[in-house]
Amino acid sequence: KVTYHYLDQIPERVRLKERLTKLWNFERYGIPFKQGGRYFFSKNDGLQNQSVLYVAEALEAPPRVLLDPNTLSSDGTVALAGYKISEDGNLMAYGLSASGSDWNEWKVRDVRTGADLSDHLKWVKFSGANWTKDGKGFFYSRYDAPKEGDALKGVNKFQKLYFHKLGTPQSDDVLIYERRDQPDWGFGGQVTDDGRFLIISIWQGTDPRNRVYYRDLTKPDAPVVKLLDDFDADYSFVDNDGGVFWFYTDLKAPRGRVIAIDTAQPDRAQWREVIPQAADTLKGVNLFGDKFLCTYLKDARSAVKLFSLEGKSLGEVALPGLGSVGGFGGRRSDTETFYSFTSYTTPGTIYRYDVTTGASTVFRAPKVDFDSSAYETKQVFIHSKDGTRVPMFLTHKKGLKLNGANPTYLYGYGGFNIPLTPGFSVSMAVWLELGGV
């Protein structure tokens, strides 16, 4: 009462609320990806609580709703927690979370008809789903069912990796891997694009370090092989060329690098460095058109570089400005991929990138009632007390005289290796319109 007795007397608040409401109501697209000839993407009409998942038979074909999370419950408390499309694009395994719980229930939907199959998996937590190449089932991780009444308060121990065969009850799922001597280990299963290997990444709590095991799926009785078992660094599987695995790692490279490990000669002395550590921090690696596409953090903004399979530099992907990118998903054989770009004055815009020509074209641009051309962002550098060179962005109306008298909103953050990179904010856009910096 005290707060609003004061705030309600400020006449400008009504106008600000109206402007914020109008600006927030704009279409937002997720990054599309192609699977089995179909394109999948999410879209929010503007004020929807949750984005809707769509599918289209071709890039410019009319999309249809595949799953609308807003209709899953009357009070809007059921959310889409994750999904995975099968190799042929005909099936979708998807997880649901109720009331913000980490417990997920997974189901399977026929992409062609929109109808759910009989598959229903429970007690899944901290796991996605990964289909086999033939689409007959998928790998996932779960815990044993908790005792009645303990679901939301019991401690979870001994996660297990399973294979679920399509059309069978969960009780028939095949246990792939467990460690009864390691109650805190968790498992993530990933099938290689060629369908030959199951890559098992083993995590422990929030530690960025992990272990990597694998299993040859072409041999029914093949054992799980311990490839990286020293828990000494972060190893993220990128792709494989037969028995040669490419990994992103921060081993002896705090800013990241790419290495190749031949599973036939897995000794560390035989490891090959493909892309060495650079001055900028390597944040992500993907493989398209037989090229490594690497996303870097350069002075708190994104930079994207290309390398050959041998690690030779092939130049950079030209970005629209100083901003942040996401996406670049796909497969080694793909010649197109999609990414999002956003900056302090540009809402998230989706681009299609042609790997063959190197050209980026706008695929979806949101229509926002904000004239971004009237504003500019400059990057400056400040030296802190200990001499560290700190990057900072200044955004304001073009032509604004920076004389120290402008209302300025300054924000910084430090911790947990979380960088603050450029991104569009409706509230900041209104601040800029009012003459703020």
Side-chain angles (χ1 to χ4, degrees), residues 89-322:
N90 291 334
L91 297 169
M92 175 179 72
Y94 68 98
L96 300 178
S97 168
S99 303
S101 174
D102 282 330
W103 288 117
N104 296 162
E105 294 189 17
W106 280 76
K107 300 182 179 182
V108 177
R109 178 161 294 189
D110 191 316
V111 173
R112 295 159 293 188
T113 65
D116 281 345
L117 307 184
S118 61
D119 305 78
H120 190 182
L121 310 181
K122 294 184 176 181
W123 308 118
V124 182
K125 183 182 280 195
F126 312 133
S127 173
N130 266 269
W131 291 92
T132 53
K133 196 171 180 67
D134 58 14
K136 292 182 177 180
F138 54 84
F139 298 92
Y140 74 102
S141 301
R142 68 172 170 92
Y143 294 93
D144 291 337
K147 295 178 181 178
E148 190 169 346
D150 279 355
L152 299 179
K153 61 183 180 182
V155 178
N156 302 128
K157 299 287 186 181
F158 300 105
Q159 193 186 46
K160 300 179 177 74
L161 179 63
Y162 284 90
F163 174 73
H164 172 72
K165 185 179 179 181
L166 205 62
T168 64
Q170 188 174 16
S171 57
D172 289 350
D173 289 355
V174 178
L175 177 63
I176 300 298
Y177 196 74
E178 66 173 334
R179 285 294 291 267
R180 295 183 180 180
D181 61 328
Q182 298 291 345
D184 297 322
W185 283 16
F187 307 99
Q190 176 184 355
V191 179
T192 55
D193 285 348
D194 60 9
R196 178 179 170 185
F197 296 102
L198 172 67
I199 308 297
I200 304 172
S201 180
I202 301 172
W203 51 269
Q204 189 168 345
T206 57
D207 198 315
R209 295 173 297 176
N210 65 314
R211 295 172 171 85
V212 178
Y213 300 171
Y214 72 90
R215 181 178 177 182
D216 190 335
L217 296 177
T218 64
K219 302 174 182 178
D221 299 321
V224 171
V225 179
K226 298 177 181 179
L227 180 64
L228 300 165
D229 202 27
D230 291 333
F231 200 60
D232 58 350
D234 175 4
Y235 298 95
S236 298
F237 180 81
V238 177
D239 210 320
N240 69 300
D241 189 5
V244 176
F245 294 175
W246 289 296
F247 288 95
Y248 159 89
T249 185
D250 59 4
L251 178 70
K252 298 179 182 178
R255 294 185 300 280
R257 60 181 177 140
V258 177
I259 62 173
I261 300 177
D262 188 341
T263 54
Q265 298 176 308
D267 294 341
R268 291 186 177 230
Q270 304 296 324
W271 292 6
R272 180 168 55 88
E273 183 175 76
V274 180
I275 302 174
Q277 177 177 243
D280 301 323
T281 301
L282 180 58
K283 300 295 288 184
V285 185
N286 289 299
L287 196 57
F288 308 100
D290 281 338
K291 299 174 185 176
F292 287 109
L293 192 147
C294 298
T295 304
Y296 288 88
L297 185 67
K298 179 181 178 62
D299 295 328
R301 60 181 174 86
S302 293
V304 183
K305 301 178 181 180
L306 295 167
F307 296 88
S308 70
L309 296 182
E310 293 73 35
K312 180 184 177 182
S313 176
L314 300 176
E316 289 197 32
V317 175
L319 300 179
L322 298 177

Side-chain angles (χ1 to χ4, degrees), residues 349-411:
T349 302
I350 307 299
Y351 287 82
R352 178 185 178 274
Y353 178 70
D354 189 312
V355 183
T356 306
T357 65
S360 289
T361 53
V362 174
F363 177 65
R364 294 288 184 268
K367 297 179 176 64
V368 184
D369 185 26
F370 176 75
D371 182 13
S372 60
S373 65
Y375 304 87
E376 61 181 334
T377 297
K378 292 180 291 186
Q379 188 172 45
V380 296
F381 294 89
I382 303 99
H383 287 88
S384 66
K385 289 183 178 180
D386 66 358
T388 302
R389 183 172 176 262
V390 181
M392 186 173 78
F393 299 94
L394 294 172
T395 304
H396 49 79
K397 285 183 177 178
K398 289 180 178 177
L400 184 70
K401 188 176 181 180
L402 300 180
N403 56 11
N406 301 294
T408 302
Y409 183 88
L410 176 65
Y411 186 77

Side-chain angles (χ1 to χ4, degrees), residues 4-63:
Y4 279 94
H5 176 73
Y6 175 80
L7 293 178
D8 289 343
Q9 297 180 58
I10 304 174
E12 290 85 2
R13 292 188 79 242
V14 175
R15 183 166 60 90
L16 283 173
K17 182 180 179 180
E18 291 175 351
R19 183 63 181 139
L20 285 167
T21 303
K22 185 176 182 180
L23 265 189
W24 255 307
N25 189 9
F26 69 94
E27 284 185 334
R28 289 181 281 279
Y29 285 89
I31 302 168
F33 66 92
K34 187 179 182 180
Q35 189 78 327
R38 296 184 174 94
Y39 289 86
F40 300 83
F41 66 94
S42 62
K43 189 186 76 159
N44 191 305
D45 288 341
L47 299 178
Q48 289 176 297
N49 287 324
Q50 302 184 61
S51 295
V52 179
L53 182 61
Y54 291 85
V55 60
E57 299 300 323
L59 192 58
E60 295 298 344

